[in-house]
């Protein structure tokens, strides 16, 4: 194993994850006023709808993100590379199949979905293409998450958050340049899709370098499917509730009152959620620690300390 993949401490991982979340909050806070000013409230609302739709599609993850991280951590701690490949292969198989179905459905059904959104009278927005691009944006990001789990499983949240921070900064600079060039929301979403494709390649390269012998292709393994599905059910139920709670109001407003109302609700909601995620992101770094074999008393102590730290 390369020296750079040496595990970091719990405190270091928590600090890096909290920093990554805080960094994105700052970028969002600085970027929103410029985008609203240049795009206008209606197009800003459209952009928020694209992000909300991508968030709702995240339900299709079925909780496999957490399950993949848990079992990659578990098998790696036991020195079981075959187990890691089994889990990654099963996750990729599920992701590719689901993403293909969602992309085909939204690509064909984009006209029907577009009719659901209320736009200002006389406005000519490329709603159908925005919906199709949202499917691509979601699919590329979802597949990248399978490989993103590898450095996290190896207790290297510093690497994950460096990639995320660079991605956030690059994404923001691209959005700024596009709106300064007076391009509309369609070009902003195209930029996000292209950047997501680049990040997918970067995540694959990092995963392969950190874990030599890792297979990066889907692999049909019933044992792997049973392994991750059994764990993911609980994560899935939680994810569905949170998505319905956060994204449901914005989608209903887009249908009933128009895109401007989405902008008025979505902007403060996005900021408040990111503030909440600072604490969550620090605590979630404990998942790989709990996944590996360790003494019960040590686990109990770690849980107690983490609970008080979060409180």
């Amino acid at each position: 194993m390369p020296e750079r993949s040496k595990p970091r401490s719990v405190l270091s991982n928590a600090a890096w994850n909290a920093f990554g979340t805080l960094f994105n909050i700052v970028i969002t806070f600085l970027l929103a006023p410029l985008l609203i000013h240049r795009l206008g409230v209606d197009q800003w609302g459209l952009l928020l709808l694209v992000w909300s739709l991508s968030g709702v599609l995240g339900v299709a993850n079925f909780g496999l993100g957490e399950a993949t991280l848990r079992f990659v951590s578990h098998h790696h701690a036991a020195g079981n590379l075959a187990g890691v490949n089994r889990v990654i292969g099963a996750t990729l198989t599920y992701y590719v199949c689901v993403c293909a179905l969602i992309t085909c459905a939204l690509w064909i059904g984009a006209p029907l979905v577009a009719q659901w959104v209320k736009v200002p009278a006389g406005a000519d927005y490329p709603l159908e293409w925005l919906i199709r691009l949202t499917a691509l944006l979601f699919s590329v990001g979802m597949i990248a998450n399978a490989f993103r789990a590898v450095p996290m499983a190896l207790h290297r949240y510093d690497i994950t958050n460096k990639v995320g921070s660079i991605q956030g900064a690059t994404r923001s600079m691209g959005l700024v340049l596009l709106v300064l060039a007076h391009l509309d929301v369609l070009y902003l979403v195209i930029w996000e899709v292209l950047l997501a494709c680049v990040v997918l390649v970067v995540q694959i390269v990092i995963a392969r370098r950190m874990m030599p012998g890792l297979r990066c292709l889907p692999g049909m393994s019933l044992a792997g499917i049973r392994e991750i599905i059994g764990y993911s059910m609980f994560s899935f139920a939680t994810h569905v509730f949170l998505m319905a709670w956060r994204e449901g109001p914005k989608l209903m407003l887009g249908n009933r009152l128009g895109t401007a109302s989405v902008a008025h609700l979505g902007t403060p909601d996005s900021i408040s959620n990111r503030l909440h995620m600072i604490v969550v992101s620090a605590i979630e770094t404990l998942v790989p620690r709990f996944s590996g074999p360790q003494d019960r008393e040590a686990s109990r102590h770690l849980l107690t300390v983490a609970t008080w730290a979060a409180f």
Side-chain angles (χ1 to χ4, degrees):
M1 191 68 60
E3 181 62 23
R4 59 182 172 275
S5 66
K6 184 178 179 181
R8 294 290 192 261
S9 67
V10 172
L11 183 59
S12 175
N13 281 323
W16 270 107
N17 226 31
F19 167 77
T21 304
L22 182 61
F23 181 81
N24 285 322
I25 290 174
V26 173
I27 288 181
T28 300
F29 183 77
L30 296 176
L31 190 62
L34 176 63
L35 293 180
I36 294 171
H37 176 69
R38 287 285 180 169
L39 292 174
V41 175
D42 288 317
Q43 285 203 69
W44 169 247
L46 275 178
L47 187 59
L48 289 179
L49 276 178
V50 167
W51 293 339
S52 290
L53 178 57
S54 182
V56 170
L57 291 176
V59 172
N61 180 284
F62 201 67
L64 261 67
E66 292 86 351
T68 302
L69 173 58
R70 186 256 187 262
F71 285 107
V72 169
S73 300
H74 177 76
H75 291 307
H76 178 265
N80 182 9
L81 182 59
V84 172
N85 282 327
R86 182 174 67 245
V87 169
I88 292 292
T91 299
L92 287 174
T93 298
Y94 174 84
Y95 281 177
V96 169
C97 291
V98 169
C99 290
L101 288 173
I102 289 176
T103 300
C104 289
L106 287 181
W107 202 270
I108 297 171
L112 294 176
V113 179
Q115 293 176 6
W116 184 82
V117 179
K118 183 178 180 180
V119 297
D124 184 23
Y125 294 135
L127 281 174
E128 295 180 16
W129 279 106
L130 286 174
I131 292 167
R132 292 173 178 136
L133 288 170
T134 301
L136 294 178
L137 180 63
F138 159 76
S139 298
V140 175
M142 188 172 182
I143 294 172
N145 281 337
F147 300 102
R148 181 172 174 264
V150 173
M152 294 166 67
L154 272 59
H155 312 286
R156 292 302 306 269
Y157 282 81
D158 57 321
I159 293 177
T160 301
N161 283 282
K162 285 174 184 176
V163 172
S165 297
I166 293 172
Q167 179 185 5
T170 305
R171 168 178 169 270
S172 299
M173 287 189 291
L175 294 177
V176 168
L177 292 176
L178 290 172
V179 296
L180 290 178
H182 304 288
L183 296 176
D184 61 25
V185 66
L186 179 64
Y187 293 93
L188 272 64
V189 179
I190 291 174
W191 163 245
E192 291 198 306
V193 173
L194 293 175
L195 182 60
C197 292
V198 173
V199 172
L200 170 59
V201 174
V202 171
Q203 296 285 13
I204 293 173
V205 171
I206 290 173
R208 287 293 303 272
R209 292 193 64 182
M210 294 190 68
M211 194 176 289
L214 178 70
R215 281 205 311 267
C216 297
L217 295 174
M220 192 59 198
S221 167
L222 293 179
I225 292 291
R226 285 196 300 268
E227 205 168 13
I228 56 179
I229 291 295
Y231 182 89
S232 67
M233 291 294 294
F234 301 101
S235 297
F236 174 69
T238 303
H239 193 64
V240 169
F241 174 78
L242 290 176
M243 284 301 101
W245 174 56
R246 288 206 65 244
E247 309 301 347
K250 283 179 278 187
L251 294 175
M252 286 189 288
L253 284 174
N255 173 248
R256 295 294 181 179
L257 299 179
T259 55
S261 63
V262 178
H264 293 146
L265 173 68
T267 301
D269 175 71
S270 176
I271 295 173
S272 65
N273 181 64
R274 289 178 182 276
L275 291 171
H276 166 73
M277 287 303 297
I278 294 176
V279 176
V280 175
S281 62
I283 299 304
E284 72 179 6
T285 59
L286 294 174
V287 173
R289 298 282 175 179
F290 283 113
S291 300
Q294 59 180 323
D295 178 73
R296 180 179 294 272
E297 286 300 321
S299 297
R300 183 180 290 113
H301 175 71
L302 185 60
L303 178 61
T304 302
V305 171
T307 301
W308 278 109
F311 179 76

